[in-house]
C-alpha cells in the first residue's frame, strides 16, 4: 500500500529521467555530456544503492528473467535469498506469448521441485499500438496464458494499456479489455496493469483513473 501511495513516484521519476537522459545525448551539445553523465551516475547510485535496497527488503518475489533466462538458475537464486515466489516472464529465450504447454509443464515441474510457486505471469499483453488487429491477436494470446496460469497455479497476469497515443482514450482501453477481462474473471485470474512511461499509463495515478473508468 505504501508503494501505491507514494513509493511508486521514485520509479516513475527514475524512468522519466532515463527517457530524458537518452534524448539529451542525441540532442545536446557535446560540452554538456560529461555533466549529464555525472548526474546520470548519481541518479543510478541513488536508485540502486538506496531506493532498491530499502524497497527490496519489502518484496518477497522476483521476475525470473531479471536473474536468468534459465528458469532453474532463477529459482536457485530465489531459494538462496529466501524469496516466497516468482513471476514468470521470458525463459529459455521465449516470451509468454511463445510458450507451449510443454514449456509450461517443464517450468511447473521445476517450480515444484524448488518449492517456489509461480504466482504471476508478466505478459506483453497490449504493449503494442492500438489497432483492431493487435487487440484481436493479443486477446487470443491472453486466453492461452489463462490456461498456462491454471497449470502453474498463478492467479495474476501482468499486462499493459497500449503504447502511448493521445488519441487512445481510457474508454477505448476499457473496451479493448472487455473480452480478456471476462475470460480472466471466469478463470479466477486478476489482470495487473503495469505503469510504464512508453504506454498510456505512465504512473499509478493513471492506472487508478483507468480502473475507475
Amino acid at each position: 500500500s505504501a508503494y501505491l501511495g507514494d513509493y511508486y513516484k521514485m520509479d516513475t521519476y527514475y524512468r522519466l529521467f532515463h527517457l530524458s537522459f537518452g534524448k539529451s545525448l542525441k540532442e545536446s551539445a557535446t560540452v554538456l555530456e560529461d555533466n549529464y553523465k555525472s548526474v546520470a551516475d548519481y541518479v543510478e547510485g541513488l536508485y540502486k544503492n538506496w531506493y532498491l535496497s530499502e524497497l527490496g527488503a519489502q518484496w518477497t518475489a522476483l521476475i525470473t528473467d531479471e536473474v536468468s533466462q534459465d528458469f532453474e538458475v532463477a529459482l536457485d537464486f530465489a531459494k538462496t535469498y529466501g524469496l516466497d515466489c516468482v513471476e514468470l516472464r521470458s525463459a529459455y529465450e521465449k516470451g509468454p506469448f511463445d510458450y507451449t504447454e510443454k514449456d509450461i509443464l517443464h517450468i511447473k515441474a521445476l517450480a515444484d521441485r524448488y518449492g517456489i510457486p509461480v504466482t504471476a505471469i508478466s505478459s506483453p499483453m497490449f504493449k503494442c499500438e492500438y489497432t483492431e488487429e493487435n487487440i484481436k491477436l493479443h486477446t487470443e494470446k491472453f486466453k492461452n496464458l489463462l490456461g498456462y496460469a491454471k497449470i502453474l497455479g498463478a492467479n495474476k497476469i501482468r499486462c499493459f494499456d497500449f503504447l502511448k497515443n493521445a488519441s487512445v482514450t481510457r474508454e477505448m482501453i476499457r473496451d479493448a479489455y472487455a473480452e480478456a477481462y471476462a475470460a480472466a474473471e471466469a478463470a479466477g485470474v486478476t489482470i495487473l496493469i503495469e505503469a510504464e512511461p512508453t504506454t498510456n499509463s505512465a504512473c499509478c495515478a493513471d492506472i487508478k483513473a483507468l480502473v475507475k473508468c
Side-chain angles (χ1 to χ4, degrees), residues 129-130 161-169 173 198-200:
E129 298 290 347
Y130 181 97
D161 63 352
F162 300 101
L163 297 178
K164 189 177 290 295
N165 185 334
S167 67
V168 177
T169 66
I173 296 168
T198 63
T199 65
N200 288 295

Side-chain angles (χ1 to χ4, degrees), residues 95-111:
F97 280 175
D98 303 316
Y99 289 136
T100 64
E101 184 172 322
K102 183 179 179 180
D103 296 326
I104 295 300
L105 289 171
H106 174 67
I107 287 168
K108 171 63 172 169
L110 288 173

Side-chain angles (χ1 to χ4, degrees), residues 114-188:
Y114 278 80
I116 300 176
V118 177
T119 57
I121 298 173
S122 183
S123 83
M125 173 72 165
F126 290 161
K127 195 172 186 180
C128 59
E129 298 290 347
Y130 181 97
T131 67
E132 291 301 321
E133 182 180 0
N134 281 340
I135 292 170
K136 182 177 180 180
L137 175 63
H138 279 232
T139 298
E140 290 305 310
K141 295 283 189 180
F142 179 82
K143 288 178 181 178
N144 288 338
L145 287 186
L146 290 175
Y148 296 158
K150 183 177 181 180
I151 293 172
L152 293 169
N155 63 357
K156 295 177 285 292
I157 297 179
R158 188 189 298 256
C159 304
F160 297 87
D161 63 352
F162 300 101
L163 297 178
K164 189 177 290 295
N165 185 334
S167 67
V168 177
T169 66
R170 292 191 176 107
E171 289 75 17
M172 291 166 66
I173 296 168
R174 177 198 63 199
D175 292 346
Y177 262 105
E179 188 175 345
Y181 176 78
E185 187 173 40

Side-chain angles (χ1 to χ4, degrees), residues 1 10 16 20 35 38 49 63-64 68 73 82 94-95 99 108 110 117 121 124 140 150 162 164 166 174 183 195 212:
S1 60
M10 183 67 170
L16 290 174
S20 298
N35 290 332
S38 294
N49 300 327
I63 298 177
T64 55
S68 175
V73 170
K94 284 186 176 182
Y99 289 136
K108 171 63 172 169
L110 288 173
I121 298 173
E140 290 305 310
K150 183 177 181 180
F162 300 101
K164 189 177 290 295
R174 177 198 63 199
K212 288 186 171 181

Side-chain angles (χ1 to χ4, degrees), residues 195-207:
E196 164 62 57
T198 63
T199 65
N200 288 295
S201 287
C203 64
C204 290
D206 292 337
I207 293 173

Side-chain angles (χ1 to χ4, degrees), residues 20 35 49 53-54 58 64 80 85 93 101 127 141 195 202 208 211:
S20 298
N35 290 332
N49 300 327
S53 64
E54 292 293 322
Q58 309 302 319
T64 55
T80 298
C85 54
E93 307 303 333
E101 184 172 322
K127 195 172 186 180
K141 295 283 189 180
K208 183 177 180 180
V211 170

Side-chain angles (χ1 to χ4, degrees), residues 2-13 51 203-205:
Y3 183 87
L4 292 175
D6 198 40
Y7 295 170
Y8 76 87
K9 294 176 184 176
M10 183 67 170
D11 272 329
T12 300
Y13 297 150
Y51 176 72
C203 64
C204 290

